[in-house]
Amino acid sequence: MSKKLIYSRSEMAKLCEEALKSRGVELEDIALIAYNQQSRYTPNVSMDVCRESVLKVISLRDIFHHVLLAVELDKMAEKGLFEGPIQDIIANDLGLFGIDEVLGLDVAGLYGVIGMTNFGDIDVNKRGIIEKLNVEGKKEGIVHTFLDDIVGAIAAAASTRVAQIVNEELANMVPHQKVTLFDDEDFKDK
Ligand code: MG
């Protein structure tokens, strides 16, 4: 049987949704983090644009790969499948193990520096379902070492996308002006 390596955007979004759901995370939980984060800056932000942004983010190939890998790494650690010290380090979510955050930053970074700072806020303050995943991950036999970061990163990316949409709408509300780089007299002869 030939191997399938390339997936369409709708397939990737669906597979991400299923993988997250299998680990107890609904897309609605992620949209809610994005909504609460953006509501601090934009009072009338809609939940629909947050949901749409989550769907958009999980349809991206980079993020699809991150989600599936993160979910599998946690499951492997739960089954004790790693050899050597790294098994206990991942299974116990060692505070000084930062590779889960690196993966989260990589995802959030697809939406620039603001994506990364939004991820930092969600990660440090354990927003929404992140707190629940963190608490559950401390129970015997449950590993959420990579899951909490990937979920927080998707929320941060979606939140940042919402901010971009809001700003685009604001820009389009400003009365039309002719904008050129060199229309100032001072620049004429330079
Ligand atoms: Mg983690």
Side-chain angles (χ1 to χ4, degrees), residues 51-118:
R51 290 188 186 105
E52 179 206 286
S53 293
V54 170
L55 279 174
K56 186 95 174 180
V57 165
I58 61 169
S59 76
L60 300 175
R61 198 168 309 276
D62 277 18
I63 296 184
F64 166 66
H65 292 153
H66 273 84
V67 169
L68 265 56
L69 178 66
V71 163
E72 287 308 307
L73 289 173
D74 281 349
K75 281 162 64 182
M76 285 173 70
E78 283 179 356
K79 292 173 187 161
L81 292 175
F82 290 100
E83 290 183 7
I86 203 70
Q87 169 62 38
D88 286 342
I89 290 170
I90 295 175
N92 290 280
D93 200 2
L94 177 70
L96 288 176
F97 176 75
I99 298 171
D100 45 344
E101 274 91 3
V102 170
L103 295 184
L105 280 170
D106 200 35
V107 164
L110 289 172
Y111 283 80
V113 175
I114 304 301
M116 290 161 108
T117 55
N118 282 339

Side-chain angles (χ1 to χ4, degrees), residues 114-126:
I114 304 301
M116 290 161 108
T117 55
N118 282 339
F119 170 66
D121 166 54
I122 294 164
D123 181 45
V124 169
N125 296 306
K126 310 266 175 267

